[in-house]
């Protein structure tokens, strides 16, 4: 069935280093890929998204890349800061269903001081 | 209000009790979604409304789960005869267009604990 796989499940990086989270999706018709950040006890919040007609998008320290052929997309955070510590979820909009976003299982990112 | 509002924030139910969870989406948002998030997991899709029409309920885990949005704004997720496995955070999200390929705004969730 429809599926989004996310890796790694946990990631610890030194403050100032880069963090990369990778996701793959199963439905080649997917055309919208948002990334959400969820801090403990809080709601998921959109941090960046990309549509299938572009290969890369950047917003300050955050960038997302999309490889439609391989059906994978990645989140890149550069110059990590303590406030980047959170759980990050990738997601894919499944055009075939025209109704729902499917989420990955999440990556818990910890920034070491 | 400015964002998606859910109530109650916390609910403790005895096994077998019925519960009702409320979602107030952002005013004017056409699409409304319910997700279930177990501890340490990503949100799992439950159901989707476009205005008052429930277009997809494929994620509802059993016939004990029922959702409605009678006037195309506020939505209620009802769980009958709650079981311990229903314990989770229930998230509501809304977006402004008819299909969910634009930003979805989440509520803060309702944490349901079934004892």
């Amino acid at each position: 069935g429809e599926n989004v796989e996310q890796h790694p499940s946990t990631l610890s990086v030194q403050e100032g280093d880069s963090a990369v989270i990778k996701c793959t999706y199963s439905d080649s018709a997917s055309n919208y890929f948002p990334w959400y950040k969820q801090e403990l006890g809080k709601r998921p919040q959109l941090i960046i998204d990309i549509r299938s007609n572009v290969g890369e998008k950047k917003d300050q320290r955050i960038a997302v890349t999309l490889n439609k052929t391989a059906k994978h997309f990645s989140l890149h955070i550069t110059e990590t800061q303590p406030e980047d510590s959170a759980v990050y979820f990738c997601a894919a909009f499944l055009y075939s269903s025209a109704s729902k976003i499917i989420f990955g299982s999440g990556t818990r990112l910890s920034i070491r001081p | 209000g400015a964002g998606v509002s859910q109530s109650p924030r916390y609910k403790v139910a005895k096994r077998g009790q019925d519960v009702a969870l409320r979602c107030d989406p952002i005013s004017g948002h056409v699409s409304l979604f319910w997700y279930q998030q177990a501890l340490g997991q990503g949100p799992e899709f439950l159901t989707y409304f476009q205005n008052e029409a429930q277009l997809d309920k494929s994620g509802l885990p059993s016939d004990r789960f029922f959702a409605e949005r009678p006037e195309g704004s506020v939505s209620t997720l009802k769980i009958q005869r709650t079981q311990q496995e229903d314990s989770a955070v229930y998230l509501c999200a809304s977006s402004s267009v008819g299909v969910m390929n634009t930003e979805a705004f989440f509520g803060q969730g309702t944490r349901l604990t079934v004892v």
Side-chain angles (χ1 to χ4, degrees):
Chain A
E2 303 146 344
N3 193 38
V4 175
E5 303 241 347
Q6 182 171 348
H7 301 281
S9 57
T10 59
L11 179 61
S12 178
V13 301
Q14 193 75 35
E15 182 178 350
D17 288 351
S18 297
V20 180
I21 302 171
K22 299 182 179 182
C23 290
T24 59
Y25 60 97
S26 59
D27 189 341
S28 57
S30 297
N31 60 358
Y32 173 65
F33 307 90
W35 286 87
Y36 284 82
K37 176 183 180 181
Q38 187 174 30
E39 297 178 25
L40 189 63
K42 297 189 177 180
R43 73 190 75 191
Q45 293 198 303
L46 183 75
I47 55 171
I48 195 168
D49 56 13
I50 191 167
R51 299 180 191 278
S52 58
N53 57 348
V54 298
E56 184 173 358
K57 183 177 178 180
K58 190 172 182 180
D59 182 4
Q60 299 182 5
R61 297 187 296 109
I62 296 174
V64 58
T65 58
L66 172 65
N67 183 326
K68 286 189 64 181
T69 302
K71 293 191 287 187
H72 66 70
F73 55 114
S74 302
L75 177 72
H76 304 252
I77 306 174
T78 58
E79 301 171 18
T80 52
Q81 300 170 5
E83 55 265 34
D84 295 331
S85 294
V87 179
Y88 291 81
F89 295 99
C90 63
F93 171 68
L94 299 179
Y95 180 77
S96 58
S97 69
S99 66
K100 59 192 177 188
I101 283 186
I102 300 296
F103 285 85
S105 54
T107 296
R108 182 174 298 280
L109 175 63
S110 301
I111 308 300
R112 303 190 303 271
Chain B
V4 179
S5 178
Q6 291 186 245
S7 61
R9 287 293 311 277
Y10 304 93
K11 175 69 179 177
V12 179
K14 291 184 178 179
R15 191 170 53 184
Q17 184 180 353
D18 297 349
V19 298
L21 312 180
R22 177 187 171 105
C23 173
D24 282 87
I26 293 173
S27 179
H29 275 194
V30 169
S31 299
L32 185 145
F33 308 80
W34 284 98
Y35 284 82
Q36 180 190 60
Q37 187 175 27
L39 189 64
Q41 299 296 316
E44 295 281 343
F45 172 80
L46 294 176
T47 188
Y48 160 67
F49 290 87
Q50 184 173 326
N51 295 307
E52 70 278 5
Q54 189 175 19
L55 298 187
D56 189 334
K57 53 182 181 179
S58 62
L60 296 177
S62 77
D63 58 7
R64 296 186 295 104
F65 287 70
F66 172 75
E68 60 183 6
R69 194 186 185 197
E71 297 179 359
S73 56
V74 171
S75 177
T76 304
L77 176 67
K78 298 179 179 178
I79 308 173
Q80 297 176 324
R81 304 181 304 280
T82 51
Q83 307 289 319
Q84 284 191 318
E85 61 263 28
D86 300 335
S87 295
V89 174
Y90 291 85
L91 293 166
C92 174
S94 71
S95 67
S96 62
V97 295
V99 291
M100 199 177 182
N101 63 346
T102 188
E103 181 173 359
F105 296 86
F106 279 87
Q108 69 273 48
T110 294
R111 181 177 297 278
L112 173 65
T113 303
V114 181
V115 297

